[in-house]
Amino acid sequence: MPHADSLIMTLVGGFVLAFLLGMLANRLKLSPLVGYLVAGVMVGPHTIGFVADRELAPQLAEVGVILLMFGVGLHFSLAELMKVRKIAVPGALVQIAAATALGWGLGRLMGMSHLEATLTGFALSVASTVVLLRALEERGQVKGPAGRLAMGWLIVEDLVIVIALVILPLLVIQPGEVLEPAVLARSIGWTLFKVAAFTGVMLVVGSRVLPWLLVRIAHTRSRELFTLGVLAIALGIAWIAYQLFHSFALGAFLAGLVLNSSPLGHNAAERSLPLRDAFAVLFFVSVGMLFDPSILVREPMAVLGVLFIVIVGKSLAALAITTAFKLDRATSLTVAAALAQIGEFSFILAALSMQLGGMRQETHDLILAAALLSISLNPFVFAAIDRMGGRPRPPSSGSPEGLALAREKAAAGNPATA
């Protein structure tokens, strides 16, 4: 392929196939993410036909990661997290530890090193917020108790993964390199101190400067300048964080978090949404390009093993935790089903681990296979928990919840009143 047209060919191939296969997945009642991943497989080097530029696609995907994390920060709700913190915080941490331990055990049985097995388990422990939100929206549970708890649970997971992405480069030791535990502890401590200082500066100084800057841009009454300003803030702060911590994710997340609390935060989210969606699609396409589908045939038992951890292991851990907190059956089952999948953050962690030399391509493919299959099977998991009593009974028409639901339906049916 001539170098001059590699960018346009990658964009055309990625977007067109992602759209077609995303539509097909949607018609099959699956997450469109499945279609995007399969589109990446089709334009990747492991299948016949057109092959996109493998060097260019990861760079486009990096922009997708930045905008994805920026969106997570824009929609981060500390108030919602505080409402469910007593269950979501310990629950998420215990569930991450349980899934990581299961992944480590499976990895050791497969002959992985301790580090690679631990990274595998950690990647399998983090669920996809995108997949969860879509499932809750379809079930009308976003505002319900189970939906709020599940979203709070995943917010904690998102925060954990952001910190992990910063620390990971310190943990991966190259062959022949020796690092004393005391030196490693000091390095991690110094990095966490810098992260805390950077976060403090962003929350204290950034929360005053960035909203003021957005207001000044808004006074120009130019939609283009406002959109460019939002993207410049996201990309610029992500670049600063990369220079300090080698992590685009942290800076993008903090930029979104600061703008979320500003008066124009909603407008910032709205203006950046189309570009965030577009580059998020390219991110999933590029992930699919790295996936070798032949692993489904070469290592079927390994694929079943990681899939078992994601769907069964994590769900049982969540059920045990929510039962210990004496939650009702419907809420416990909903949270368990919500966690029975992995997605974007697992991809980011696995890609960084492979880039640093802490994970092999075969292990990376296992994680991608678990993600693709678990996202595809998640609707069936929710259907199964419904038969077990996972869907709460609808509120009676005379109850406050029933009256609120009736008002929402009336507003939806008559846009003029909304």
Side-chain angles (χ1 to χ4, degrees):
M1 178 189 301
H3 180 70
D5 65 357
S6 61
L7 174 60
I8 189 65
M9 292 298 291
T10 299
L11 291 175
V12 170
F15 280 134
V16 171
L17 272 176
F19 168 72
L20 294 175
L21 295 175
M23 286 287 291
L24 178 61
N26 190 63
R27 291 294 299 271
L28 296 174
K29 305 299 182 183
L30 300 175
S31 170
L33 299 187
V34 177
Y36 306 155
L37 291 168
V38 175
V41 175
M42 291 181 64
V43 299
H46 303 290
T47 54
I48 60 174
F50 169 72
V51 177
D53 190 331
R54 289 193 70 189
E55 295 183 0
L56 184 61
Q59 297 180 47
L60 295 173
E62 200 72 66
V63 179
V65 170
I66 294 173
L67 297 179
L68 196 66
M69 293 302 302
F70 181 60
V72 171
L74 279 172
H75 293 93
F76 179 86
S77 175
L78 183 59
E80 290 294 326
L81 176 59
M82 294 304 291
K83 291 178 183 177
V84 296
R85 68 186 186 281
K86 293 182 179 179
I87 300 176
V89 174
L93 295 178
V94 172
Q95 179 260 310
I96 288 175
T100 301
L102 289 173
W104 173 84
L106 178 63
R108 292 298 292 167
L109 288 174
M110 295 171 57
M112 299 181 190
S113 66
H114 286 288
L115 177 61
E116 185 177 22
T118 302
L119 291 174
T120 300
F122 192 54
L124 297 178
S125 70
V126 186
S128 167
T129 308
V130 175
V131 176
L132 169 64
L133 187 59
R134 184 175 186 273
L136 293 178
E137 287 174 346
E138 290 180 350
R139 296 164 60 84
Q141 290 183 291
V142 175
K143 300 296 183 181
R148 287 198 298 268
L149 176 57
M151 287 302 298
W153 195 300
L154 261 68
I155 286 173
V156 177
E157 291 190 352
D158 292 349
L159 293 175
V160 171
I161 201 72
V162 168
I163 298 298
L165 291 173
V166 175
I167 296 177
L168 183 58
L170 302 175
L171 300 178
V172 179
I173 302 174
Q174 302 303 323
E177 184 180 353
V178 178
L179 190 62
E180 296 293 333
V183 176
L184 177 61
R186 283 197 299 270
S187 299
I188 293 176
W190 175 239
T191 299
L192 291 178
F193 173 78
K194 291 193 297 182
V195 169
F198 182 69
T199 302
V201 170
M202 284 295 301
L203 295 180
V204 175
V205 179
S207 61
R208 291 172 172 79
V209 174
L210 296 185
W212 174 85
L213 181 59
L214 275 187
V215 171
R216 300 281 79 77
I217 299 173
H219 284 167
T220 65
R221 299 184 181 279
S222 170
R223 295 179 60 185
E224 294 84 359
L225 284 176
F226 188 83
T227 302
L228 285 174
V230 171
L231 294 175
I233 289 171
L235 295 173
I237 296 177
W239 180 82
I240 294 173
Y242 180 77
Q243 296 300 314
L244 294 173
F245 316 111
H246 301 286
S247 172
F248 287 114
L250 176 65
F253 174 77
L254 288 176
L257 188 63
V258 170
L259 293 183
N260 180 29
S261 59
S262 71
L264 294 175
H266 177 74
N267 287 344
E270 183 180 349
R271 295 287 184 237
S272 63
L273 182 60
L275 201 58
R276 282 192 285 128
D277 286 345
F279 275 95
V281 169
L282 284 180
F283 166 71
F284 290 111
V285 170
S286 68
V287 169
M289 288 175 61
L290 297 175
F291 176 57
D292 183 0
S294 67
I295 196 170
L296 299 173
V297 179
R298 290 186 287 107
E299 300 287 348
M301 298 308 297
V303 172
L304 289 176
V306 294
L307 189 62
F308 180 86
I309 291 174
V310 172
I311 295 181
V312 180
K314 291 171 61 179
S315 298
L316 290 179
L319 279 175
I321 296 165
T322 52
T323 301
F325 280 100
K326 299 181 180 179
L327 297 182
D328 61 88
R329 182 182 182 86
T331 300
S332 297
L333 289 171
T334 300
V335 172
L339 298 174
Q341 41 83 13
I342 59 173
E344 59 275 6
F345 289 113
S346 301
F347 303 150
I348 297 171
L349 181 68
L352 180 60
S353 299
M354 192 172 65
Q355 178 184 344
L356 295 171
M359 183 178 290
R360 295 168 298 163
Q361 177 70 49
E362 293 79 5
T363 307
H364 180 272
D365 289 340
L366 282 176
I367 294 172
L368 263 59
L372 201 153
L373 293 174
S374 65
I375 293 173
S376 302
L377 294 173
N378 198 239
F380 302 100
V381 175
F382 270 105
I385 65 111
D386 284 344
R387 289 194 292 270
M388 299 166 61
R391 185 181 289 275
R393 296 179 180 179
S396 60
S397 58
S399 67
E401 295 83 359
L403 293 175
L405 183 61
R407 285 196 294 270
E408 289 180 5
K409 290 182 177 179
N414 184 10
T417 63

